[in-house]
Amino acid sequence: MTLLDRHVPVVTWTEPEGIATRGTLVVIPGRGEQGVHYERFGRRVAADGYRVHAVADPTVDAALTAAQISAQLTGSGTASPRILVGSDAGALFAAGLAAAGEV
């Protein structure tokens, strides 16, 4: 089974219990990366009170990535500010979404 053969889940790290959520970050991986590659980053930022979601690689399935981003930014309980963080191709994808007015 390859990455193309299966659904790629969103990986989420949450703020510690008792800490108010300060915002929502959506991490868009670079080419060939997966959300789990951002474990250290996600855990560290979540420890500061942010809810962090890492989505699918946009170079593999752009439609899936866009849908995952939309779900994480518009879902119930999503805290503001809402921030996109991208690496490599993920940053380019985020810029494209912003330029097109999709986020």
Side-chain angles (χ1 to χ4, degrees):
M1 178 183 295
T2 68
L3 185 60
L4 296 172
D5 297 327
R6 62 184 171 89
H7 172 74
V8 179
V10 173
V11 181
T12 299
W13 298 274
T14 58
E15 65 284 351
E17 189 174 321
I19 301 289
T21 306
R22 296 175 66 188
T24 304
L25 273 78
V26 176
V27 180
I28 308 169
R31 182 177 335 219
E33 297 177 332
Q34 297 176 11
V36 296
H37 292 130
Y38 291 89
E39 172 100 19
R40 182 175 179 201
F41 175 78
R43 289 170 53 113
R44 176 61 188 100
V45 174
D48 286 336
Y50 292 89
R51 179 116 354 125
V52 182
H53 307 283
V55 297
D57 176 352
T59 65
V60 174
D61 189 341
L64 172 63
T65 302
Q68 288 177 335
I69 291 168
S70 178
Q72 299 312 315
L73 294 180
T74 61
S76 64
T78 300
S80 292
R82 296 172 178 105
I83 303 160
L84 292 180
V85 177
S87 172
D88 186 66
L92 184 60
F93 189 77
L97 289 176
E102 295 181 35
V103 292

